[in-house]
């Protein structure tokens, strides 16, 4: 399995002419996984060797603007470069509770219609992830509202035994999120490669001494 990391932005708070806001791409098996999407991410993508159309998963660490204000614009640009395809797998977006509402409202208010499916998987934070006065419970924000175009997705709770959130697993990797302490609930992401058994012919080795 080949992995390649490209830093698109490492600045904090706001982008500058020479340094974009937070964004990082992990390229794996021909797919691109985007971690955070600050302003200017799509411009940085155009300057890189990466193809934005290959983004299949997006991970947002927390809901501060310098980590997600570029996301609605990036999704709209990807849509402009797409053609309708009902069989296409959705772009999976992972992030803190409240991310689904942010995306749905941003796209709805701007009359943006995406030509590809996407799913938002929200991580439910715990109150000890930030100062008590900063913790906000977004779980009931859209309760009772009709969200006819709202994206599907899972609501993920902390696994007390693992002290983490299981996001996805395939034959090669497991991806988990873990809690970080910040001014607002924040998450780190770990991609763990599964053991790869060797292909030695043990009997032949024994025969050869």
């Amino acid at each position: 399995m080949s992995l390649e990391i490209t830093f698109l932005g490492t600045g904090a708070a706001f982008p500058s002419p020479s340094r974009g806001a937070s964004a990082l791409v992990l390229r794996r098996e021909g797919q691109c996984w985007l971690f955070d999407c600050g302003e200017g991410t799509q411009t940085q993508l155009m300057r890189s060797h990466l193809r934005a159309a290959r983004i299949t998963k997006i991970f947002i660490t927390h809901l501060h603007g310098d980590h997600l204000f570029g996301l609605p614009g990036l999704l709209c640009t990807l849509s402009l470069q797409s053609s309708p395809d009902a069989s296409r797998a959705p772009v999976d977006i992972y992030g803190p509770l409240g991310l689904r509402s942010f995306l749905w409202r941003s796209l709805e208010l701007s009359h943006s219609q995406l030509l590809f499916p996407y799913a938002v998987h929200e991580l439910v934070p715990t109150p000890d992830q930030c100062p008590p006065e900063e913790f906000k419970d977004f779980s009931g924000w859209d309760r009772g509202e009709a969200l006819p175009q709202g994206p599907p997705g899972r609501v993920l709770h902390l696994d007390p035994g693992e002290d983490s959130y299981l996001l996805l697993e395939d034959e090669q990797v497991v991806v988990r999120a873990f809690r970080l302490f910040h001014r607002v609930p924040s998450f780190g992401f770990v991609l763990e490669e599964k053991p790869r058994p060797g292909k030695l012919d043990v009997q032949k080795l024994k025969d050869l001494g």
Side-chain angles (χ1 to χ4, degrees):
M1 182 176 68
S2 64
L3 297 174
E4 178 184 292
I5 293 176
T6 302
F7 292 92
L8 299 177
T10 57
F14 55 87
S16 70
S18 60
R19 193 174 183 184
S22 294
L24 177 153
V25 169
L26 174 71
R27 190 164 66 167
R28 174 198 174 224
E29 305 296 315
Q31 300 181 21
C32 289
W33 293 4
L34 175 65
F35 292 80
D36 280 338
C37 190
E39 291 176 80
T41 294
Q42 47 182 321
T43 303
Q44 292 294 85
L45 275 167
M46 294 173 191
R47 292 173 175 165
S48 75
H49 63 286
L50 302 169
R51 291 181 57 192
R54 292 192 179 274
I55 294 175
T56 58
K57 300 189 188 304
I58 300 172
F59 303 83
I60 301 297
T61 58
H62 62 292
L63 300 183
H64 275 155
D66 56 332
H67 291 256
L68 88 159
F69 280 167
L71 184 53
L74 174 64
L75 294 178
C76 289
T77 298
L78 292 178
S79 181
L80 290 172
Q81 298 172 348
S82 303
S83 56
D85 182 0
S87 63
R88 176 176 171 175
V91 173
D92 287 306
I93 304 173
Y94 300 86
L97 195 65
L99 181 59
R100 179 183 287 110
S101 181
F102 167 79
L103 273 179
W104 177 76
R105 292 176 190 276
S106 298
L107 296 173
E108 186 76 5
L109 288 169
S110 60
H111 295 260
S112 302
Q113 296 182 343
L114 303 184
L115 296 180
F116 60 88
Y118 72 103
V120 180
H121 310 291
E122 295 185 300
L123 285 65
V124 179
T126 58
D128 57 348
Q129 286 183 246
C130 66
E133 64 274 11
E134 296 284 353
F135 185 80
K136 295 181 180 179
D137 182 4
F138 295 126
S139 58
W141 264 34
D142 298 320
R143 191 170 296 157
E145 287 192 34
L147 297 178
Q149 302 298 321
R154 297 175 291 153
V155 176
L156 304 170
H157 293 270
L158 179 71
D159 180 344
E162 297 287 342
D163 196 28
S164 64
Y165 303 73
L166 178 62
L167 305 187
L168 62 100
E169 181 174 7
D170 61 24
E171 304 81 20
Q172 293 181 319
V173 299
V174 177
V175 181
R176 295 182 182 273
F178 60 93
R179 297 172 297 166
L180 299 175
F181 187 86
H182 189 38
R183 195 162 60 82
V184 298
S186 182
F187 297 90
F189 301 101
V190 171
L191 183 148
E192 181 180 357
E193 187 176 4
K194 291 183 176 180
R196 290 182 292 170
K199 297 180 180 179
L200 292 174
D201 187 335
V202 177
Q203 187 56 51
K204 188 170 183 178
L205 289 173
K206 289 180 179 179
D207 294 342
L208 293 172

